[in-house]
Amino acid sequence: MERELNSIKAIVQFGLIEFDLAASVTNPFQKLDMGARGVAPVVQRDARDPLPANVIEGVRNQLQLESKRPELSLIWRLLEGTGCRPSEVSGLRVSDVRLDHEIPHIIIAWHEDRGVKTESSHRSIPLVGDAYTAAVEALRKAEGGTLLFPRYSGQNGPDRLSSILNKHVD
């Protein structure tokens, strides 16, 4: 709402200047404040509810039984432990997994096989607990390859992954 109000203020001000009215007409939107008015602003990360614990556990259990695509369980465990987007995990390269650092982590960054959603999406994410164990297992399975999960990387890979995972979420 605030962004739209700022746009309106700027458009009206531009019109006043262009039509040489700025000296005689006041922008009626200039001092309008749409502040919180007693309501806390919604932080983007709070805009969506997390999955309930029983759903997370149910999906994890279903995927561990999935014998045709065992990498799905590893992907889910990384998603669960890091909070990454499915497209970020599906596009991980082997070189993005850094287990030999003081704080083991994965690197989310643009590369030729996977873009990132926003500039702020470029980040390092620590691997702890089961996410670390899943990363170790994924590296072992990807030995000799470039991509950690080649089946789910590339142009349609993240969409396929999301579709498959959504079928497991009740």
Side-chain angles (χ1 to χ4, degrees):
M1 185 76 146
E2 188 174 332
R3 179 180 285 174
E4 289 85 359
L5 180 59
N6 286 338
S7 295
I8 291 168
K9 287 178 186 178
I11 291 166
V12 171
Q13 192 63 37
F14 178 77
L16 293 173
I17 291 169
E18 283 297 306
F19 292 105
D20 201 24
L21 298 170
S24 59
V25 178
T26 306
N27 184 341
F29 297 101
Q30 197 59 40
K31 294 193 185 220
L32 183 61
D33 182 19
M34 295 299 291
R37 306 218 190 263
V39 177
V42 175
V43 178
Q44 191 61 32
R45 72 174 175 270
D46 296 334
R48 291 185 264 154
D49 291 331
L51 291 173
N54 64 328
V55 172
I56 293 171
E57 185 177 346
V59 172
R60 185 182 331 119
N61 291 338
Q62 286 178 31
L63 291 175
Q64 286 175 342
L65 298 174
E66 176 100 26
S67 60
K68 290 188 284 185
R69 298 174 291 221
E71 67 275 10
L72 286 176
S73 177
L74 296 173
I75 292 171
W76 182 261
R77 290 164 56 198
L78 283 168
L79 291 172
E80 185 181 341
T82 62
C84 288
R85 297 176 186 100
S87 61
E88 292 172 336
V89 171
S90 69
L92 284 171
R93 298 172 297 186
V94 170
S95 62
D96 293 332
V97 181
R98 308 286 175 83
L99 301 180
D100 57 346
H101 285 71
E102 182 180 342
I103 299 174
H105 61 282
I106 56 175
I107 296 173
I108 305 297
W110 183 93
H111 57 78
E112 59 278 354
D113 295 310
R114 189 244 358 260
V116 291
K117 198 168 185 176
T118 64
E119 186 63 34
S120 63
S121 295
H122 293 253
R123 62 203 190 280
S124 295
I125 300 173
L127 292 169
V128 296
D130 190 49
Y132 174 84
T133 306
V136 170
E137 291 175 31
L139 281 175
R140 191 171 43 247
K141 289 182 184 287
E143 189 174 324
T146 304
L147 296 166
L148 200 59
F149 303 109
R151 178 184 275 184
Y152 300 105
S153 62
Q155 186 159 354
N156 295 322
D159 292 333
R160 275 196 329 265
L161 175 62
S162 288
S163 176
I164 292 167
L165 292 178
N166 283 334
K167 290 177 184 175
H168 290 283
V169 177
D170 294 324

